[in-house]
Amino acid sequence: MSTLLPFKAVRPVADKVALVTCRNYDDYSPAELAAWLNFNPYSFLHVINPAYMYAQKITLDKRFKGVAHKYQDFKEDGIFVSEDTPALYLYEIQTKNQTFTGIVGGTLIEEYKKEVIKKHEDTLQYRVELFKDYLHQTGFNTEPVLITYPDRETLNSWIDQKKQEAPLYHFSTTNKEKHTLWRIDHPEEIQWIQTQFEAIPELYIADGHHRSASAELLYDEVGDEHHPNVNAFMSFLIAESNVKIYEFNRIIRDLNGHSREAFLEALEAHFILKPKGQELWKPQDKFEFGMYLDGNFYALFYKQEHPNAGLLENLDAQILYDYVLHPILGIEDLRNDERIEYLPGKQSLLTLKELVDEGEFEVGFMLYPSDIAEIKALADQKLIMPPKSTYIEPKFRSGLLVYEL
């Protein structure tokens, strides 16, 4: 059984919502970040990055306190308003190629602990503790955990009907997306939605593993006696057929001392190589890999020497690590080795090609994206995917809804 909780959100006033909300902080280059902060006094970037020009010169403690103070300034200046009653929200994101729609509410940490809410990625303890301290000192979170649930026709039909009503917000952003938000505050409607989720035995985290782990750690430390909302974390729940899963491609700075010829020969132990020349070739199926090396593309077909291997061993990202990145290129730590970087599969192959051609990187690898069934199967068996195995959309706008602790 899955529990969905309404909450009293803090949100931008309607006439400023397009100015306040922003992409994830990490999505901005330093120059882009500076431009937005200089140009737009309402941007939520001012809250999450206070005194940005001096951010590297202050302690994390002072920075977190600065976030809390700036957030209060936004509330006192009337940029944010607080809901009087708990509510759920229906949120739609229209991109150029796809429309995503999901429900925003609170999910219980106790259900996360009991693995009613399942995960498929590992976390770094220092990042978990860092964000836990951020939550504790700022007292809010505005980036929900992205959670998928099995498609339910009753929920799909309700969503279609709800979209016919007048929204709370409807706005466009400079990255050419359209965003629409509906408030769900009638008790009968909330109860009906909760009943729908109570019939779902398990939920799966798609994105936000560190956020959920940090929320759990904070709950374990402070309890909910003086922090009534700390027993849950804000989540964006979306039907599994509506998520978009991309791969993460890999680019490597050197061949670990191998010549081009020796490297290609080493690959042939586990892969069939087919030169593709200047063709921008991408994998078409599982067990296929693309490679860009020395101005040429290659198709690599895994020989599947162990067809009955387990789920993790048959995961493409794991295969690349087990047979190429670790034994040949000497990359052991996929998270921290400075010789490897990652590019979301939604980016053009030309970006990967240009980075290699410019000389900073020696070789690039393209993967075939995992699907939701593979992710769920791994989570069900408590298996952990390698770092940067999936890039999953949709991405929530920061500052759209604030969950106060």
Side-chain angles (χ1 to χ4, degrees):
M1 185 182 80
S2 304
T3 305
L4 186 60
L5 301 176
F7 65 101
K8 293 182 180 180
V10 177
R11 54 182 178 79
V13 291
D15 68 316
K16 294 182 178 65
V17 62
L19 295 170
V20 172
T21 63
C22 60
R23 306 194 309 272
N24 182 282
Y25 171 78
D26 294 331
D27 287 349
Y28 295 88
S29 67
E32 190 179 13
L33 179 64
W36 272 107
L37 290 167
N38 286 327
F39 167 74
N40 180 4
Y42 297 112
S43 175
F44 196 70
L45 291 168
H46 287 284
V47 174
I48 56 181
N49 194 36
Y52 70 97
M53 292 181 66
Y54 311 102
Q56 301 302 321
K57 301 178 182 179
I58 62 176
T59 64
L60 285 174
D61 182 66
K62 287 184 178 179
R63 183 168 181 170
F64 293 161
K65 288 179 180 177
V67 170
H69 290 154
K70 194 65 177 179
Y71 174 60
Q72 291 302 319
D73 288 345
F74 267 48
K75 293 176 71 175
E76 291 172 6
D77 291 343
I79 299 171
F80 279 120
V81 294
S82 301
E83 296 282 19
D84 294 326
T85 58
L88 300 172
Y89 297 86
L90 182 68
Y91 179 39
E92 178 185 87
I93 305 169
Q94 289 185 2
T95 69
K96 180 179 179 181
N97 301 314
Q98 192 164 350
T99 297
F100 304 98
T101 310
I103 300 169
V104 184
T107 51
L108 288 172
I109 289 174
E110 286 298 334
E111 293 184 358
Y112 174 77
K113 287 176 173 288
K114 294 176 182 177
E115 298 184 349
V116 173
I117 302 172
K118 296 188 174 186
K119 59 185 179 181
H120 68 269
E121 286 186 6
D122 206 354
T123 54
L124 293 173
Q125 189 60 27
Y126 83 90
R127 285 188 58 191
V128 172
E129 292 182 0
L130 181 67
F131 193 64
K132 180 267 296 180
D133 291 341
Y134 171 90
L135 292 174
H136 196 193
Q137 294 196 46
T138 63
F140 72 87
N141 182 32
T142 185
E143 293 185 8
V145 176
L146 181 64
I147 290 179
T148 66
Y149 61 86
D151 284 67
R152 292 178 63 83
E153 185 56 40
T154 49
L155 276 173
N156 291 341
S157 298
W158 172 83
I159 287 172
D160 289 340
Q161 292 176 8
K162 191 68 179 181
K163 286 183 180 182
Q164 305 307 311
E165 299 180 10
L168 185 64
Y169 301 136
H170 180 67
F171 62 98
S172 296
T173 54
T174 54
N175 59 343
K176 298 181 180 180
E177 292 180 350
K178 292 182 180 179
H179 299 260
T180 312
L181 187 77
W182 294 263
R183 180 172 49 203
I184 307 159
D185 55 2
H186 295 297
E188 296 82 3
E189 195 169 22
I190 291 175
Q191 185 176 11
W192 182 86
I193 295 169
Q194 290 176 316
T195 301
Q196 293 297 307
F197 278 93
E198 287 171 359
I200 299 174
E202 296 161 334
L203 302 173
Y204 294 83
I205 295 177
D207 189 26
H209 287 80
H210 282 89
R211 275 164 272 160
S212 53
S214 297
E216 178 191 23
L217 185 59
L218 180 61
Y219 174 66
D220 290 342
E221 287 190 4
V222 305
D224 56 9
E225 182 177 355
H226 301 292
H227 305 271
N229 294 327
V230 81
N231 68 330
F233 49 82
M234 183 168 65
S235 297
F236 183 29
L237 298 102
I238 187 168
E240 59 188 39
S241 66
N242 197 209
V243 297
K244 177 64 176 177
I245 304 173
Y246 295 92
E247 73 281 8
F248 262 110
N249 296 321
R250 282 89 162 105
I251 45 178
I252 319 297
R253 298 186 189 279
D254 60 69
L255 297 183
N256 196 32
H258 296 286
S259 66
R260 173 182 173 276
E261 292 73 18
F263 178 62
L264 292 174
E265 183 178 350
L267 289 176
E268 289 178 334
H270 299 286
F271 301 88
I272 298 170
L273 274 64
K274 292 188 177 180
K276 294 292 182 178
Q278 297 302 303
E279 179 186 350
L280 295 174
W281 191 84
K282 294 184 67 174
Q284 305 300 304
D285 206 347
K286 188 172 171 58
F287 301 125
E288 298 178 7
F289 303 83
M291 182 176 72
Y292 184 68
L293 172 69
D294 197 23
N296 291 287
F297 284 90
Y298 295 81
L300 280 60
F301 300 94
Y302 177 54
K303 293 179 180 179
Q304 297 186 56
E305 297 144 328
H306 309 287
N308 296 321
L311 276 171
L312 187 59
E313 291 79 11
N314 275 329
L315 188 70
D316 283 358
Q318 188 69 42
I319 290 168
L320 187 68
Y321 175 77
D322 287 342
Y323 295 108
V324 181
L325 300 181
H326 187 202
I328 302 176
L329 294 177
I331 295 174
E332 184 172 353
D333 188 344
L334 291 172
R335 290 188 183 275
N336 300 309
D337 196 314
E338 294 181 352
R339 296 170 55 228
I340 184 170
E341 292 193 12
Y342 303 89
L343 297 175
K346 66 180 296 184
Q347 292 189 14
S348 169
L349 277 186
L350 290 173
T351 302
L352 183 148
K353 180 181 184 299
E354 289 170 1
L355 288 169
V356 174
D357 288 344
E358 289 170 357
E360 183 179 355
F361 297 90
E362 191 77 16
V363 62
F365 294 97
M366 293 76 78
L367 285 77
Y368 187 75
S370 296
D371 59 26
I372 191 67
E374 190 170 44
I375 291 173
K376 290 174 62 177
L378 286 160
D380 288 340
Q381 293 191 22
K382 301 182 181 180
L383 297 173
I384 300 300
M385 301 177 81
K388 299 292 186 180
S389 291
T390 56
Y391 179 90
I392 300 179
E393 289 186 337
K395 300 296 184 185
F396 203 89
R397 296 285 290 185
S398 291
L400 179 64
L401 293 170
V402 181
Y403 182 90
E404 291 191 337
L405 303 174

